[in-house]
Amino acid sequence: MEKKLRFHNRRFRIMLIGDPHCGPEDQQIRDRMIIKDYLELQYAAIRSAEPDLVVLMGDNADGGNPEEVRKTLFRITKPYSDNKIPFTFILGNHDLQYAVTDLDALYEIYQSLPCCILPGNRSRFGDFSIPVFAEKGEEQKLQLLCVYSGSSEMKEKGSVYDWVLPEQIRWIKETQKNLGAIPTVLFQHIPFPEEFSLLEETTPISMLLDGVSGQNEQKGRFFRLKKSTSGYLGEAPCAPAVNSGEFEAVKQCGNIFAAFFGHDHLNDFVGMTDGIVLGQCKTASFNAYGDGTRQGVRILDFYENAPFAMDTFMLRYRDIVSKKSRSLSGSIAVLHDKTSVKLETGAKTVLPAAAVLTPLLLSCAAIHKKKRK
Ligand SMILES: [Fe+2]
Ligand SMILES: [Fe+2]
């Protein structure tokens, strides 16, 4: 298989897989159902989207020993090798927490998988970039920048999650300087803290509708999507509390026009801040926390004749496979999403309250009116 990536029919289509969280164990019936649901989503998404490249967005696989990790990765990437679709990956905060704790050893396992693209030229932290060429000829049209955002090992007091280090930021700047003005998209597991600029602060009562409560360092604050942000907010972003200046560096590069993240399993919103598209890819997993059958993959389309332009949309299990899954219990499987659950909860709370309070208020008003006469 040719590993040089190229536009096809002037388009290059990427399929992002958020937080697969797959494990090696198939001992329980539910484990088998989980992986079946996951693979069915993958095969359906490939049939529907026919991507040119797949990117695993981190928190990909676990296992009790290196061989189990390899087997798990082999199994979850089989839909791509079956269809001769190349894939690449970024690591999440959990990927080095299991049997393989050495970055180079884990990369070696990835490299042994069919259809894996992993350039040898990498930063000390495992960051790398992949060129995408024009349909014909040797002109590079797009660059994919894969950045490792760490786990919790490097954390300082005050941040639950790691941040991209100054050395990595220097590597990003250097790589982009050598590249010139080639349009670049960045992929990273843990989102930039600047993702909060796509949200607005709201009140606790909004939790009944479209609001979510802040997590970790943001506890006690409430957020919802700004009108200019599209998609779905299921939880507050878990960005690092320390801002290492990565977003500022990305802006200064001038050619990085979009960045996509995993990590927050429920979120699939996309918006623009300071001229850069920031987007979330929610989980495709039935093994981690999710919201009913909305697990899905995110599609990104880039165009050879329109640099710095892109389209993106989600393909969800419930839309391309089924509204019920094998691995989720009946009640969870039929939930539309958290918002609809909230609306339902809101209606269940507000309507009975209104039914009781309205006659009471009306009779009070009538008595008051009588008195005034
Ligand atoms: Fe995750
Ligand atoms: Fe994560």
Side-chain angles (χ1 to χ4, degrees):
M1 193 191 72
E2 192 195 4
K3 285 196 175 177
K4 196 169 194 174
L5 300 177
R6 287 186 179 281
F7 281 74
H8 290 115
N9 297 322
R10 308 285 171 189
R11 188 187 75 184
F12 188 75
R13 173 167 276 186
I14 297 178
M15 185 163 101
L16 302 184
I17 313 299
D19 292 56
H21 276 284
C22 286
E25 298 296 329
D26 275 352
Q27 287 163 358
Q28 310 275 335
I29 291 174
R30 189 165 174 267
D31 292 334
R32 290 198 285 276
M33 298 298 105
I34 283 170
I35 194 72
K36 269 192 174 173
D37 282 340
Y38 176 83
L39 292 175
E40 206 167 339
L41 170 63
Q42 300 301 309
Y43 282 109
I46 288 169
R47 278 195 302 274
S48 167
E50 298 182 350
D52 299 299
L53 175 75
V54 172
V55 181
L56 301 176
M57 293 297 286
D59 288 357
N60 300 326
D62 60 24
N65 56 57
E67 187 48 28
E68 280 187 351
V69 173
R70 198 193 67 78
K71 272 186 186 162
T72 305
L73 283 170
F74 182 83
R75 182 165 62 172
I76 65 170
T77 58
K78 196 169 177 294
Y80 323 136
S81 52
D82 280 353
N83 288 281
K84 302 212 170 351
I85 299 168
F87 82 92
T88 192
F89 64 95
I90 47 175
L91 297 184
N93 51 305
H94 291 301
D95 285 303
L96 289 166
Q97 285 179 344
Y98 300 106
V100 186
T101 53
D102 177 67
L103 189 122
D104 288 334
L106 188 53
Y107 274 24
E108 225 168 86
I109 294 175
Y110 275 93
Q111 198 132 40
S112 72
L113 300 166
C115 299
C116 179
I117 294 188
L118 177 60
N121 186 13
R122 305 191 285 265
S123 83
R124 191 162 72 85
F125 296 91
D127 313 305
F128 57 90
S129 65
I130 301 173
V132 183
F133 294 89
E135 188 156 3
K136 287 178 186 140
E138 292 307 304
E139 193 185 349
Q140 188 183 337
K141 290 288 188 180
L142 185 69
Q143 184 84 2
L144 313 174
L145 198 57
C146 298
V147 177
Y148 177 45
S149 50
S151 61
S152 301
E153 286 159 21
M154 300 183 287
K155 76 178 176 190
E156 287 172 13
K157 215 177 163 190
S159 180
V160 173
Y161 293 105
D162 284 349
W163 52 92
V164 170
L165 296 168
E167 189 182 329
Q168 292 176 280
I169 294 173
R170 278 197 294 279
W171 179 87
I172 291 173
K173 281 179 165 175
E174 200 58 33
T175 309
Q176 298 314 299
K177 206 167 91 186
N178 296 338
L179 204 63
I182 291 173
T184 296
V185 186
L186 184 148
F187 300 108
Q188 182 173 303
H189 184 71
I190 300 175
F192 299 157
E194 282 78 2
E195 204 176 65
F196 277 95
S197 66
L198 304 180
L199 317 181
E200 61 187 12
E201 217 156 323
T202 180
T203 54
I205 193 78
S206 71
M207 290 284 289
L208 284 172
L209 297 167
D210 55 355
V212 297
S213 79
Q215 306 193 55
N216 306 323
E217 299 84 8
Q218 306 288 347
K219 245 193 171 95
R221 299 173 71 188
F222 298 87
F223 302 93
R224 68 180 170 206
L225 292 183
K226 280 181 179 168
K227 295 253 180 313
S228 53
T229 308
S230 61
Y232 170 58
L233 176 73
E235 58 183 318
C238 281
V242 173
N243 191 329
S244 60
E246 186 188 7
F247 182 65
E248 278 307 310
V250 159
K251 280 199 296 183
Q252 282 167 18
C253 287
N255 59 325
I256 303 176
F257 68 103
F260 285 87
F261 309 97
H263 191 50
D264 295 324
H265 294 190
L266 304 181
N267 294 340
D268 62 31
F269 57 82
V270 180
M272 188 179 274
T273 188
D274 291 350
I276 294 176
V277 174
L278 300 182
Q280 277 294 144
C281 179
K282 73 185 300 165
T283 186
S285 173
F286 292 81
N287 194 28
Y289 73 92
D291 47 6
T293 53
R294 281 174 62 95
Q295 280 86 338
V297 305
R298 178 171 282 288
I299 304 296
L300 310 179
D301 283 339
F302 303 96
Y303 305 98
E304 193 175 322
N305 296 333
F308 301 103
M310 62 172 290
D311 287 322
T312 181
F313 58 92
M314 291 291 300
L315 288 175
R316 298 184 179 85
Y317 182 94
R318 62 177 297 107
D319 301 324
I320 59 172
V321 182
S322 169
K323 289 190 169 49
K324 287 190 177 175
S325 88
R326 296 181 186 87
S327 58
L328 299 175
S329 69
S331 58
I332 300 170
V334 295
L335 295 182
H336 288 242
D337 57 46
K338 204 170 161 190
T339 309
S340 68
V341 179
K342 284 180 178 186
L343 289 169
E344 200 181 300
T345 315
K348 276 183 186 163
T349 317
V350 173
L351 292 179
V356 173
L357 289 175
T358 309
L360 205 67
L361 290 171
L362 285 174
S363 58
C364 286
I367 293 165
H368 185 65
K369 207 171 168 186
K370 249 184 191 174
K371 277 183 183 170
R372 280 180 66 191
K373 272 187 181 174

